[in-house]
Amino acid sequence: MTPFIRLSPIEKTMKALKDRIIKDGRCFPGGILKVDNFINHQMDPILMKSMAVEFVRRFASTKINKVLTVEASGIAGALTTAIACGNIPVVFAKKSRTRNVTGDVYESRVFSFTHGVENHIHVSKQYLPKGAKVLIVDDFLANGEAAEGLCELCRQAGAQVVGIGVCVEKSFQPGHQKLAEAGYRVHALAKVTGIQDGKLIVED
């Protein structure tokens, strides 16, 4: 008989996320991964809430007063994390100028690996004040372009990036290494290490 092993709430969250990636994650030519069944198109609210709690646990030693992400797929994870942090403000960088965005903005350029296009992302200066303690949250980390662009916005604002949390990291691409070498603290809740026979391989 296999011995019964009681998992902690943290282990349950990580196992649930990894199981969903293996079960529902999809891969496409060029290393494109999709988890839009449960994270960034259709969302599993229980899993999103559990991941937010885990982000808070991993950055518990850090003072955070703002969560920053980029539209659109990072918003759900950022919002649930901001709530789990004690209902602090969450800000998302926009990818296009609209008529209701007025005044000065911080702006940077981000290349989207998934869509193969360059976006100009921006945040109104009033929402990213100097001295803010910012946690960046996003759904994916591949080459690190989005995170680097968000860090650049914080640099322009004089805000401090206290950490970068991502739901899923493609560890066979250089994003994590680039960000770590730049001095940023990066935590990924799940790491996809490769693709074999059309299936995603997730780190234990």
Side-chain angles (χ1 to χ4, degrees), residues 32-188:
I32 303 296
L33 308 186
K34 296 195 77 172
V35 291
D36 58 354
N37 180 271
F38 56 97
I39 288 181
N40 56 17
H41 191 20
Q42 174 174 273
M43 287 160 277
D44 181 330
I46 295 175
L47 182 59
M48 298 300 294
K49 181 179 178 181
S50 297
M51 290 192 293
V53 171
E54 177 61 7
F55 278 136
V56 173
R57 186 192 72 82
R58 295 198 184 192
F59 293 101
S61 62
T62 306
K63 179 176 175 56
I64 303 165
N65 54 30
K66 188 88 67 172
V67 177
L68 177 65
T69 191
V70 63
E71 68 171 350
S73 56
I75 295 176
L79 181 59
T80 51
T81 301
I83 293 170
C85 282
N87 300 314
I88 63 176
V90 56
V91 178
F92 68 88
K94 296 188 175 185
K95 293 180 181 177
S96 59
R97 290 292 186 101
T98 58
R99 291 183 179 181
N100 61 353
V101 175
T102 58
D104 292 335
V105 298
Y106 299 115
E107 186 170 333
S108 66
R109 289 185 286 184
V110 170
F111 180 80
S112 171
F113 175 82
T114 301
H115 298 103
V117 297
E118 185 177 76
N119 294 301
H120 290 251
I121 63 171
H122 62 274
V123 167
S124 294
K125 291 184 177 181
Q126 62 181 316
Y127 299 134
L128 195 58
K130 182 178 181 180
K133 308 292 185 181
V134 178
L135 175 64
I136 291 173
V137 173
D138 208 355
D139 59 335
F140 256 116
L141 174 60
N143 289 326
E145 299 276 357
E148 287 179 323
L150 293 171
C151 289
E152 170 60 19
L153 296 179
C154 291
R155 187 197 66 77
Q156 294 175 27
Q160 179 187 355
V161 177
V162 299
I164 300 170
V166 294
C167 300
V168 182
E169 173 190 323
K170 291 193 282 186
S171 60
F172 54 90
Q173 291 184 260
H176 190 132
Q177 182 178 349
K178 287 196 301 183
L179 294 168
E181 289 176 350
Y184 296 109
R185 180 182 174 190
V186 184
H187 281 296

Side-chain angles (χ1 to χ4, degrees), residues 7-22:
L7 298 178
S8 69
I10 296 167
E11 291 170 326
K12 288 181 179 178
T13 298
M14 297 303 96
K15 184 177 187 306
L17 176 57
K18 292 171 185 177
D19 287 349
R20 287 299 294 274
I21 293 170
I22 293 170

